[in-house]
Amino acid sequence: MLNMLTRLVCEDMESVVVGDFNLPNVSWLSGSIIGPVDTRNKGLVFEKNVLNWLHNNGLIWYINDEVTRRRVVNGILQESTLDQVFSTNQALINQVEIVSPLGKSDHVGFDVELNLSLNRKDRQENEPGVIKQLWNKVTYKEIYDKSCEIDWLYSKDMLSIENMWDELCNKMRLVSDDIVPTENSLKLKQPWVNSSLKRCRKKTDKCWSSFDCNPTVENLNVALNQQEKFEGMSFKCKIEFEKRITKHLKTNCKPFYAYLRGKRVVKDSVSSLEKPDGSLTKNNFETAEVLADAFASVFVKEPYGPLNEECYDISEDSVIDDLEITSDDVLDEFKKINISKSPGPDEIHPKL
């Protein structure tokens, strides 16, 4: 454990460490060891070394005298402070709140509020796909009403194809920007979580808070019963969600495969690769460059500019006649669009 913490400090980067450190004899309120000073007990000596290391390296802890584990042994309630939150910079964390345990664990959970709001705007502007448009919450009537408010005539009579397309895309984006709600796609949430499950979760947290204020056996039983109710409700919501996405698998398979991708766990990663000079890659960027060069080597490199004349079959029979495209032809193509697909390079959603 000390080796891991030492690496974090030596890498000269801001870090937050959360976990069960199992230091029951440390008084975090006073920052000292509960026990004799000249003890030879290996456990106390280890905890003393950890505490001295934390002091010497300037790490900050946020749990002082709160109980983080409760266990009933032979009818006796045992309370300990084993879990802790450390950071290398006090400005990284705004606050730490204790919430109800996850699953059947006897350890509490931590709600750590990080101070990262200053960089959130820059991250949303620089990273594509962070803001997600919720087209499933928009009706066709809303799209039609908003479209009627826009002047679809071009600004000039003589415009190039590119300028006409740019004007059309900008006007279509006006429709989507005004009526389509958005959400932050980086927000992590289980897809089956609904409002009733959220209310049950809040009620569970309230029961555990009552137990924290008055740690009696009666309050503990109430909190455990509410925790069991929440777990059963969460399992039921998950089963209903899986049934719902499989029921509509043939008509809309996108939620099903998105759920499968979310369940997938990548166990193997690409390690260091050998570069053309014989050395090994040192980071992910160099590894990606080696892979890109390997993939590009199998393609034929065509010269820039127009193709040679021998590539064309120039004859009178090869001339394309004038094409006549009617509005009905365009409408038939529009009806074939799958509205459950994502927008293409033009960023225009198929539903629009």
Side-chain angles (χ1 to χ4, degrees):
M1 181 178 66
L2 286 180
N3 292 334
M4 182 270 295
L5 294 174
T6 303
R7 286 198 300 269
L8 289 177
V9 175
C10 293
E11 287 178 359
D12 193 21
M13 57 189 299
E14 306 293 357
S15 305
V16 175
V17 184
V18 183
D20 176 12
F21 294 90
N22 196 18
L23 304 173
N25 298 301
V26 174
S27 174
W28 298 105
L29 190 60
S30 60
S32 60
I33 297 293
I34 303 175
V37 179
D38 55 348
T39 180
R40 295 185 178 181
N41 184 285
K42 292 184 178 180
L44 289 177
V45 171
F46 172 75
E47 294 184 35
K48 183 179 180 181
N49 293 334
V50 173
L51 191 60
N52 291 335
W53 185 93
L54 294 173
H55 285 300
N56 295 334
N57 289 275
L59 263 71
I60 306 163
W61 58 81
Y62 296 82
I63 304 300
N64 293 320
D65 56 350
E66 295 86 351
V67 177
T68 64
R69 189 194 70 176
R70 294 181 176 90
R71 178 179 297 175
V72 178
V73 180
N74 297 327
I76 301 175
L77 178 62
Q78 296 180 355
E79 298 180 335
S80 307
T81 303
L82 302 181
D83 305 84
Q84 189 57 263
V85 180
F86 297 109
S87 72
T88 56
N89 188 346
Q90 191 172 5
L92 279 176
I93 298 179
N94 287 335
Q95 63 177 357
V96 178
E97 293 184 0
I98 294 180
V99 298
S100 56
L102 295 177
K104 298 182 179 180
S105 174
D106 54 1
H107 291 253
V108 300
F110 288 150
D111 184 4
V112 182
E113 181 181 343
L114 300 177
N115 187 20
L116 301 177
S117 58
L118 295 177
N119 298 328
R120 184 178 304 168
K121 183 177 180 181
D122 297 336
R123 186 175 70 248
Q124 292 179 353
E125 292 177 353
N126 297 330
E127 294 186 7
V130 173
I131 301 301
K132 178 182 178 182
Q133 291 185 323
L134 305 178
W135 278 93
N136 58 322
K137 296 185 178 181
V138 180
T139 62
Y140 283 108
K141 185 178 184 305
E142 293 175 330
I143 298 177
Y144 177 77
D145 293 341
K146 183 61 182 178
S147 301
C148 294
E149 301 175 1
I150 296 178
D151 182 12
W152 294 98
L153 297 177
Y154 293 110
S155 58
K156 298 179 181 179
D157 294 335
M158 301 299 294
L159 289 176
S160 64
I161 299 297
E162 291 78 8
N163 293 335
M164 293 172 64
W165 176 248
D166 291 339
E167 280 196 20
L168 179 61
C169 289
N170 291 333
K171 292 179 180 180
M172 295 179 75
R173 292 191 186 98
L174 290 177
V175 178
S176 61
D177 293 342
D178 289 347
I179 65 174
V180 181
T182 59
E183 72 171 5
N184 193 334
S185 61
L186 293 180
K187 182 180 179 181
L188 300 179
K189 185 186 75 171
Q190 300 294 352
W192 59 81
V193 175
N194 51 29
S195 57
S196 59
L197 187 60
K198 290 180 180 178
R199 290 194 295 269
C200 186
R201 175 70 188 193
K202 290 181 180 179
K203 188 175 181 180
T204 305
D205 293 339
K206 187 176 180 180
C207 291
W208 284 109
S209 298
S210 300
F211 176 73
D212 291 336
C213 298
N214 187 15
T216 62
V217 176
E218 181 181 357
N219 288 340
L220 177 62
N221 292 331
V222 172
L224 291 176
N225 291 334
Q226 181 61 31
Q227 181 73 24
E228 185 177 357
K229 180 181 177 181
F230 169 74
E231 293 170 4
M233 188 175 182
S234 179
F235 179 76
K236 183 179 178 181
C237 291
K238 180 180 179 181
I239 296 299
E240 291 178 353
F241 171 77
E242 293 177 349
K243 289 182 178 180
R244 185 166 63 251
I245 61 176
T246 52
K247 181 180 179 181
H248 303 284
L249 179 59
K250 291 186 178 181
T251 56
N252 186 12
C253 61
K254 192 173 182 179
F256 175 76
Y257 288 108
Y259 179 64
L260 288 184
R261 287 194 298 270
K263 302 290 287 184
R264 183 174 56 188
V265 178
V266 180
K267 296 182 179 180
D268 298 329
S269 59
V270 179
S271 59
S272 299
L273 300 179
E274 183 177 350
K275 295 191 291 186
D277 58 0
S279 61
L280 297 178
T281 57
K282 298 180 180 180
N283 50 50
N284 293 335
F285 178 78
E286 293 183 357
T287 303
E289 289 292 329
V290 173
L291 289 175
D293 294 339
F295 293 143
S297 63
V298 301
F299 292 96
V300 178
K301 294 183 179 180
E302 300 288 350
Y304 292 102
L307 297 177
N308 299 327
E309 294 183 0
E310 56 267 18
C311 298
Y312 295 97
D313 182 14
I314 302 177
S315 62
E316 296 181 357
D317 298 335
S318 63
V319 178
I320 300 177
D321 297 331
D322 293 337
L323 299 178
E324 183 179 356
I325 302 176
T326 63
S327 58
D328 293 334
D329 296 332
V330 177
L331 183 60
D332 291 339
E333 294 297 325
F334 281 160
K335 291 180 179 179
K336 298 177 183 179
I337 295 178
N338 187 354
I339 62 172
S340 64
K341 296 291 186 180
S342 301
D346 55 6
E347 299 180 0
I348 304 299
H349 197 274
K351 192 171 186 178
L352 177 58

